[in-house]
Amino acid sequence: MSDTFVGPLIEYVPGGDQILVKPGGSVVTTGTGAIHGAVQSISVSVSSGTAAATTAVIDQIASFSQPITVRRVALLPFATCAGHATSNFTLAVHNIGTGATGTTVVADLALTTGNAIATNVPKAFTLSTTTASLDLAAGEALGYHITLASLGIDFPKGKLTIDYVTRIS
């Protein structure tokens, strides 16, 4: 009887490095605290308010020490907001790069006609159809923008959740 080795063997030490042992015995340290391929989440609060201008508001969500791929973005709103043809807003998650100036859209949610949000009901964003836009390199960050179609629009407070997986570069 012989032992058969299929796939990599992963040893994970919480708070430590993940060790990947490849067939043939080579060892690769892949980073602190992440299991590659496992879906992880990060959540941030989205502030509410009434905008006095149509300029986009940006906040950084998180920067990542390892390369990641975004799998899902959703908003859990704490208030109901109806979509509207002209008085609407778009909440978008961007790859803002390493200098907080990047503009690559990762996912967005436009509250236009027929697209409303309900209190405490998660609303999924539309992910970019450009696969490369879902990938962030090590050191890059995500941020969110709220872009208003007209003045005086109320946007609700809520929790923005991003699901992602880490990649081996």
Side-chain angles (χ1 to χ4, degrees):
M1 177 183 211
S2 66
D3 292 330
T4 303
F5 181 80
V6 178
L9 173 66
I10 297 174
E11 177 183 334
Y12 174 71
V13 180
D17 285 343
Q18 174 184 324
I19 307 298
L20 176 62
V21 181
K22 294 184 173 185
S26 60
V27 176
V28 179
T29 301
T30 58
T32 302
I35 298 177
H36 294 286
V39 176
Q40 301 174 64
S41 296
I42 188 164
S43 295
V44 295
S45 294
V46 176
S47 299
S48 63
T50 301
T54 58
T55 56
V57 177
I58 183 171
D59 274 322
Q60 182 170 321
I61 296 168
S63 61
F64 299 88
S65 60
Q66 298 177 7
I68 68 159
T69 299
V70 174
R71 296 286 189 218
R72 179 179 171 271
V73 178
L75 175 67
L76 180 66
F78 300 151
T80 297
C81 186
H84 192 272
T86 56
S87 291
N88 59 56
F89 67 90
T90 299
L91 180 57
V93 173
H94 290 222
N95 175 348
I96 59 174
T98 57
T101 58
T103 59
T104 300
V105 176
V106 174
D108 64 4
L109 174 63
L111 261 66
T112 55
T113 303
N115 199 15
I117 54 177
T119 304
N120 294 323
V121 177
K123 184 73 170 181
F125 282 44
T126 301
L127 291 176
S128 173
T129 57
T130 305
T131 305
S133 296
L134 302 175
D135 294 338
L136 276 73
E140 292 186 327
L142 290 173
Y144 71 88
H145 292 196
I146 300 173
T147 305
L148 307 162
S150 62
L151 301 179
I153 299 169
D154 290 327
F155 49 91
K157 184 184 288 189
K159 182 172 79 169
L160 186 63
T161 301
I162 293 124
D163 295 341
Y164 64 94
V165 293
T166 57
R167 302 186 323 272
I168 297 174
S169 10

